[in-house]
Amino acid sequence: MKAAPRPCSIADTLALVGEKYALLVLREVSLGVRRFDRIARNTGAPRDILTARLKRLVEAGILEKVPYSARPPRFEYRATAAGEELQPVLVTLMAWGDRHLNADDRPVVLEHDCGEVLSPRLVCAHCGGEAGRDSLRHHVRAPGWTTAGPVEPGAS
Amino acid sequence: MKAAPRPCSIADTLALVGEKYALLVLREVSLGVRRFDRIARNTGAPRDILTARLKRLVEAGILEKVPYSARPPRFEYRATAAGEELQPVLVTLMAWGDRHLNADDRPVVLEHDCGEVLSPRLVCAHCGGEAGRDSLRHHVRAPGWTTAGPVEPGAS
DNA sequence: GGTGAGGGTTTGAAAATCCAACGCACAGGG
DNA sequence: CCCTGTGCGTTGGATTTTCAAACCCTCACC
């Protein structure tokens, strides 16, 4: 055997949406841009790559194809419920980039219902307290693994 | 000209951490795994790729090299403040994978200070209200762009 | 009948990935 | 001293992906 990587939902999620352009496609769909040509232009993805990404995202249940014309057969792409649940990922990535890369002029600003510009904060749904590094503890449940690595750090 | 993609902090952030393995490296570092060999094994990244990713993340100010042995010269990799601010991204990705891919047996569980298993929630730091799709409005500030796309949808 | 839009597929060159092997610097043991 | 092992990479070559541009097909419209 040749040492499987750590079992992890982050890795599993990235296997679906971690390829180049996948999250940008989702961004466009979230913005209401649902057609092939527009998504291609707005993301910069080559058309053949976009074809592959859309196919994968549809198979993963993140997007769905909805017909908007029968003849010729034409579809648009919409986020499913699962797809919409990825929005916090987009928002969080955007907030990081706004802070660290585009501090002086943000390309897009999100306005929250309350009227303020959104700065997103991750909290515990249960107690409402901040969910930051210092308030979290990892419990590795995958058999054979610990926080540091595999139990048997070499052999099989 | 050949049509630049939409200016966007999500894209800018992904240009740094969107390559394969980059976020998994950050995951390991966040878990306290800081040395080359272990990161390689736990993520599954080929060693040459890992070299490239670490270099890029260090240059981006997300990780830093800290010497832990002078002779032979050896370094470990730690998250900078900017790097730690990416943790919400990891947590959010993990939550999605836990819900949609590993619902019946999560490889890793996060426990919040309050004693409960964390389910993360994104809120507005200002008012504390949920920051979901329906409570957000996009304002595109980049010149020449609207929510739907470029102002002049073809020409330059 | 010609033109144009929408949504892809094809083609071939360029870049990134993967994996195994190698290199180097040192530590520890015999 | 010699041999082995560990840590951290680098190198070489085969394999995949990406990319950009061109092509194709179906219709709508004039």
Side-chain angles (χ1 to χ4, degrees), chain B residues 15-26:
Chain B
L16 296 181
V17 298
E19 293 168 302
K20 202 171 176 187
Y21 302 116
L23 285 174
L24 298 185
V25 169
L26 204 56

Side-chain angles (χ1 to χ4, degrees), chain A residues 2-153:
Chain A
K2 33 61 154 323
R6 182 197 296 282
C8 165
S9 287
I10 299 171
D12 294 344
T13 303
L14 287 174
L16 297 181
V17 299
E19 293 168 304
K20 201 169 176 188
Y21 302 117
L23 286 174
L24 298 185
V25 169
L26 203 57
R27 172 198 74 191
E28 290 301 317
V29 171
S30 294
L31 285 170
V33 177
R34 307 176 213 274
R35 322 266 251 232
F36 191 91
D37 263 31
R38 299 277 162 129
I39 297 174
R41 204 170 26 58
N42 293 357
T43 60
R47 304 168 73 82
D48 55 344
I49 304 294
L50 180 56
T51 301
R53 293 296 175 274
L54 288 170
K55 183 165 170 246
R56 188 155 182 58
L57 291 171
V58 168
E59 283 168 3
I62 291 169
L63 297 183
E64 58 186 343
K65 264 172 119 157
V66 178
Y68 70 88
S69 149
R71 327 193 17 76
R74 290 285 134 85
F75 303 88
E76 58 181 25
Y77 297 89
R78 291 170 177 274
T80 63
E84 299 209 340
E85 286 177 45
L86 280 168
Q87 235 218 329
V89 174
L90 298 178
V91 171
T92 310
L93 284 167
M94 182 176 135
W96 193 91
D98 280 346
R99 195 208 249 4
H100 295 281
L101 305 173
N102 300 315
D104 24 72
D105 119 288
R106 311 182 169 182
V108 176
V109 167
L110 293 181
E111 180 193 336
H112 189 245
D113 259 2
C114 70
E116 295 289 318
V117 169
L118 178 75
S119 31
R121 209 162 97 96
L122 202 66
V123 300
C124 171
H126 183 257
C127 73
E130 179 101 32
R133 137 165 279 71
D134 303 329
S135 55
L136 295 177
R137 201 128 52 196
H138 295 261
H139 297 285
V140 178
R141 307 182 118 264
W145 285 81
T146 66
T147 304
V151 165
E152 215 172 333

Side-chain angles (χ1 to χ4, degrees), chain B residues 101-115:
Chain B
L101 305 173
N102 301 316
D104 24 69
D105 111 297
R106 310 181 169 183
V108 177
V109 168
L110 294 180
E111 181 193 337
H112 189 245
D113 259 1
C114 70

Side-chain angles (χ1 to χ4, degrees), chain B residues 62-83:
Chain B
I62 290 169
L63 298 183
E64 58 187 343
K65 267 173 116 154
V66 177
Y68 71 89
S69 150
R71 327 188 19 71
R74 290 286 135 85
F75 303 88
E76 58 181 25
Y77 298 89
R78 292 171 176 275
T80 62

